[in-house]
Amino acid sequence: MATFGTLQNELLEMMGRPSLSSSDSFRARAKFYLNRAYLDVASRFDIPDLITTQSITSIAATADYALSTDVLFIISIGLINTSPAERHRLIKRGISSIDEMSTAVGGTPKYYARSGLNITVEPVPIDVDITLKVRYVKQPAELNLDADIPVLAREWDNAILYRGAQFFFIGLGELDRGGVFLQIYNDYVQGRRITDRMRSLGADEGIELVGGDEAERSVGRPGTIPGRAVVAPAAG
């Protein structure tokens, strides 16, 4: 994966403003829109690098538990109990449905609901040391230093750059140019095999994805860096 500094330079070249100093306000905006694009791409597609787990240990008579601060969305929650031996997957419910259930201490949790960075389980556990294994997609941290490297694999570089260019031009009020890069971005991601997380991961939560089954292809323009697009400098 390219460094954050390299991505900035390539985005600025697309914008027709290469080699700007680190103090230039245009470069500062490039950093902002690249981060926005980076987090947007990370949240939209099935990227195994972003899947991780968190283990939560139950507390008797306690229904609410804190999630890790980087949880983007939950794929599943599995319960592991050693005495008595029991393993099953918790069923997702809306928080209002959980609230309508009995809150009396009832035994082994079978349901959960998410509210912010917390989950509520039902029935409320009567045992300690029940393990809840939360499998989730994490939200990557924003990029700050030029040497920072995104957690996404290198093949996502173009998607981040095209999306960043779209956001940048829209931010400048250049809606037509923003639309051009939206089309380039869509063409690029449709060239990858994108699968619905709900189907491929068995996710309890998901988001709408852009998909396609064609072989991966880059989108280039005559006289540009291979796999990159470039337009004339923006006004102003």
Side-chain angles (χ1 to χ4, degrees), residues 71-135:
V71 172
L72 184 59
F73 72 85
I74 295 171
I75 297 171
S76 64
I77 299 181
L79 180 143
I80 303 171
N81 193 9
T82 56
S83 182
E86 183 176 5
R87 290 172 176 260
H88 63 259
R89 176 170 166 172
L90 271 61
I91 300 170
K92 182 178 182 290
R93 291 284 186 265
I95 190 65
S96 59
S97 297
I98 293 289
D99 289 342
E100 291 171 0
M101 295 180 180
S102 171
T103 57
V105 175
T108 303
K110 292 181 174 60
Y111 307 97
Y112 82 93
R114 178 180 176 181
S115 178
L117 287 176
N118 295 281
I119 56 169
T120 301
V121 298
E122 179 66 33
V124 181
I126 59 175
D127 297 322
V128 296
D129 296 333
I130 293 176
T131 298
L132 300 176
K133 186 176 182 179
V134 182
R135 188 176 301 278

Side-chain angles (χ1 to χ4, degrees), residues 54 67-74 114 117 136-137 139:
Q54 173 189 3
L67 293 169
S68 175
T69 57
D70 64 351
V71 172
L72 184 59
F73 72 85
I74 295 171
R114 178 180 176 181
L117 287 176
Y136 67 94
V137 174
Q139 177 169 298

Side-chain angles (χ1 to χ4, degrees), residues 80-233:
I80 303 171
N81 193 9
T82 56
S83 182
E86 183 176 5
R87 290 172 176 260
H88 63 259
R89 176 170 166 172
L90 271 61
I91 300 170
K92 182 178 182 290
R93 291 284 186 265
I95 190 65
S96 59
S97 297
I98 293 289
D99 289 342
E100 291 171 0
M101 295 180 180
S102 171
T103 57
V105 175
T108 303
K110 292 181 174 60
Y111 307 97
Y112 82 93
R114 178 180 176 181
S115 178
L117 287 176
N118 295 281
I119 56 169
T120 301
V121 298
E122 179 66 33
V124 181
I126 59 175
D127 297 322
V128 296
D129 296 333
I130 293 176
T131 298
L132 300 176
K133 186 176 182 179
V134 182
R135 188 176 301 278
Y136 67 94
V137 174
K138 64 182 179 181
Q139 177 169 298
E142 287 193 0
L143 305 170
N144 292 302
L145 302 176
D146 287 351
D148 286 350
I149 299 176
V151 297
L152 307 187
R154 187 173 182 81
E155 56 263 28
W156 293 101
D157 282 3
N158 281 1
I160 294 170
L161 287 167
Y162 298 149
R163 194 66 156 164
Q166 178 211 345
F167 291 153
F168 207 146
F169 276 121
I170 290 175
L172 292 172
E174 302 267 356
L175 301 185
D176 289 343
R177 289 177 173 176
V180 169
F181 273 98
L182 173 60
Q183 184 60 54
I184 293 171
Y185 166 78
N186 283 335
D187 286 346
Y188 181 77
V189 297
Q190 285 172 3
R192 304 181 53 81
R193 183 173 179 83
I194 307 301
T195 56
D196 188 306
R197 279 177 172 159
M198 294 290 289
R199 183 173 63 251
S200 64
L201 301 177
D204 291 330
E205 300 179 34
I207 51 182
E208 183 178 355
L209 305 180
V210 178
D213 294 327
E214 302 173 22
E216 180 177 346
R217 63 180 183 274
S218 62
V219 180
R221 294 293 180 269
T224 68
I225 300 172
R228 300 284 191 260
V230 65
V231 298

